[in-house]
Amino acid sequence: MNLTLVKEIQAKQAYPSVTITLPTYRTSPDNEKDPIRLKNLVQDAINRLESEFGKRESLQIVEEIQRLADEVDHQHNLDGLVIFVSNEFSASYKLPFRLPERVSIEDNFLTRDLVYAMNRSPVYLLAVLSENGTRLFTGNKDMLDEVQEYGFPFSLEGVTANASPGQDISQVNDRIVTDHMRKIGDALNEARKEIDAPIIVVGVDRNIGHFRDGASNSDDVMLYIHSGLSDENEHELAKNIWPQIKDALNEERKKIFDEVGAAKGNNRFVGGLNEVWQACLDGRVETLVVEEDLHIAAEVSADGRKLSRLESGFQQTENTYEDIVDEMIEKVIAASGRVKFVDNNALNEINPEGLVAITRY
């Protein structure tokens, strides 16, 4: 799951669009309960569909929900599962982050939980440099999954250095390794087009030096870890480097408050609920900053430009939303903006409503 895929899913509009999310477990005995919890959520979705549309009219979607649920291999679960089903589209995804138990039936798929999870437990790209075989992993906290795409793993095995008379063979070797690292940098750029995540590079000093010399994107690396851990297995590697990555990710997350401060000084800050909504509608939001548990039920005015907060238990209509924050998130991502989540109450002094926007102009 990546930002590109989230955008594609957000663009699908059909009523009803069913979204089922739940946290899952990787190991026994915890994952033994996953099938039961999924079955309960599936039954909840079916009951709601048949109640609103009738059994006959719901049959196609119901059968597709049941098919996707039955195909889940719970022995190989990750940390979260999401199922999307409408009459035009259906898919399920196992994700390396926790999701809430939820069933949503709307005119589009519920993606807020995915965006939230990706930002709250950010995925990172880990390149482990080695002349024997440079590997790429996607990481989530202290868990790594190897990626065997974009040319990875890269290896220099079988490449020989041929020096002309008078040339220093060690210099020729250095040039070969530097060229090798240039290719790795280019491959990382390709990976980032699909996986919008910070880059972390691990390697011995010599290989990191060659990477800095050869890769065009070496300055984009969030963290270099100078270590000879390249031959460790995934579990040991993740355990050893996660503390440094965690600190770097926390520092990266704090930068959003510096960006908000700069935006206020440049008149690119919007704080009121209606003002943020209008900026989202107009595609002006560069970054939407939201407290992580913020949910706002709201009614949209006839012209679509104003919001009125609603209490729980309101009557659902085409102009009311269980959570207008999710609508804002979808509009920002659709316009190629960013969404950043911060701790609850972190925005109290800036805007007690719990969200602000940095605008493009």
Side-chain angles (χ1 to χ4, degrees):
M1 179 64 66
N2 56 66
L3 192 57
T4 300
L5 181 56
V6 170
K7 286 183 178 181
E8 292 176 2
I9 293 171
Q10 286 176 338
K12 300 181 184 300
Q13 301 280 328
Y15 190 74
S17 293
V18 180
T19 307
I20 299 173
T21 64
L22 73 156
T24 54
Y25 296 88
R26 295 178 180 237
T27 57
S28 179
D30 294 322
N31 62 10
E32 294 173 7
K33 300 176 183 177
D34 291 343
I36 298 171
R37 290 165 46 247
L38 176 58
K39 182 179 180 180
N40 291 338
L41 290 173
V42 166
Q43 191 59 54
D44 180 23
I46 292 172
N47 291 343
R48 289 168 60 180
L49 286 166
E50 292 180 345
S51 174
E52 182 170 352
F53 301 100
K55 286 190 176 182
R56 187 174 179 180
E57 292 76 9
S58 305
L59 184 60
Q60 179 180 335
I61 289 182
V62 166
E63 288 181 344
E64 189 63 10
I65 292 171
Q66 289 176 323
R67 182 186 71 81
L68 290 175
D70 290 342
E71 288 181 353
V72 175
D73 180 1
H74 292 284
Q75 296 303 310
H76 296 90
N77 278 341
L78 297 180
D79 302 301
L81 174 70
V82 59
I83 294 175
F84 298 115
V85 180
S86 69
N87 282 318
E88 289 78 30
F89 175 80
S90 65
S92 65
Y93 302 96
K94 292 181 178 181
L95 304 170
F97 38 70
R98 308 296 285 171
L99 295 173
E101 287 195 20
R102 191 193 302 272
V103 174
S104 168
I105 302 176
E106 303 287 345
D107 59 2
N108 55 10
F109 294 115
L110 182 66
T111 56
R112 172 199 170 98
D113 293 326
L114 304 184
V115 177
Y116 166 60
M118 283 190 287
N119 281 275
R120 186 170 181 265
S121 299
V123 172
Y124 54 90
L125 287 169
L126 175 69
V128 183
L129 304 180
S130 171
E131 294 171 28
N132 296 325
T134 291
R135 295 177 293 166
L136 177 67
F137 299 88
T138 56
N140 180 262
K141 296 185 179 177
D142 60 350
M143 293 173 289
L144 298 176
D145 291 301
E146 186 161 6
V147 177
Q148 296 192 349
E149 296 180 66
Y150 318 108
F152 289 95
F154 282 83
S155 176
L156 279 175
E157 186 177 351
V159 177
T160 58
N162 296 311
S164 301
Q167 279 188 306
D168 186 335
I169 190 67
S170 65
Q171 291 181 351
V172 175
N173 274 323
D174 284 346
R175 186 170 66 249
I176 289 174
V177 177
T178 298
D179 289 342
H180 177 68
M181 296 303 174
R182 182 177 296 113
K183 293 177 183 178
I184 291 169
D186 292 343
L188 281 169
N189 279 335
E190 291 303 309
R192 281 192 94 184
K193 291 178 182 178
E194 296 295 322
I195 307 168
D196 185 21
I199 297 173
I200 294 155
V201 172
V202 177
V204 296
D205 292 351
R206 177 175 180 272
N207 285 332
I208 286 179
H210 285 302
F211 183 87
R212 287 183 179 275
D213 291 339
S216 61
N217 56 346
S218 61
D219 290 339
D220 296 333
V221 173
M222 183 183 75
L223 175 67
Y224 286 99
I225 299 177
H226 294 258
S227 172
L229 297 171
S230 59
D231 294 328
E232 292 196 346
N233 63 46
E234 295 173 22
H235 176 73
E236 290 300 318
L237 177 64
K239 184 176 72 172
N240 283 317
I241 66 176
W242 169 240
Q244 295 178 67
I245 295 173
K246 181 180 179 182
D247 289 343
L249 290 171
N250 286 339
E251 287 301 313
E252 194 72 15
R253 194 177 189 189
K254 291 176 184 176
K255 291 180 181 178
I256 191 62
F257 293 99
D258 295 332
E259 294 181 33
V260 169
K264 293 178 80 170
N266 295 327
N267 295 318
R268 293 173 48 234
F269 170 86
V270 175
L273 180 62
N274 274 296
E275 290 78 4
V276 172
W277 170 248
Q278 290 162 16
C280 292
L281 288 176
D282 297 339
R284 292 194 299 118
V285 177
E286 179 180 281
T287 306
L288 179 67
V289 186
V290 184
E291 290 183 358
E292 53 189 22
D293 289 330
L294 181 67
H295 297 271
I296 300 175
E299 181 176 15
V300 180
S301 62
D303 65 1
R305 304 290 294 179
K306 293 183 180 178
L307 302 177
S308 301
R309 284 178 177 264
L310 296 173
E311 299 299 323
S312 60
F314 64 89
Q315 185 68 36
Q316 188 82 36
T317 71
E318 62 180 18
N319 294 323
T320 59
Y321 294 87
E322 256 186 299
D323 185 14
I324 200 66
V325 177
D326 184 55
E327 297 298 313
M328 293 184 189
I329 288 169
E330 293 195 359
K331 292 182 186 305
V332 168
I333 291 177
S336 299
R338 302 183 302 162
V339 180
K340 296 292 182 182
F341 289 88
V342 296
D343 294 338
N344 292 329
N345 302 315
L347 296 172
N348 272 355
E349 295 183 7
I350 303 171
N351 178 19
E353 289 189 292
L355 78 170
V356 299
I358 298 171
T359 60
R360 294 187 167 99
Y361 52 87

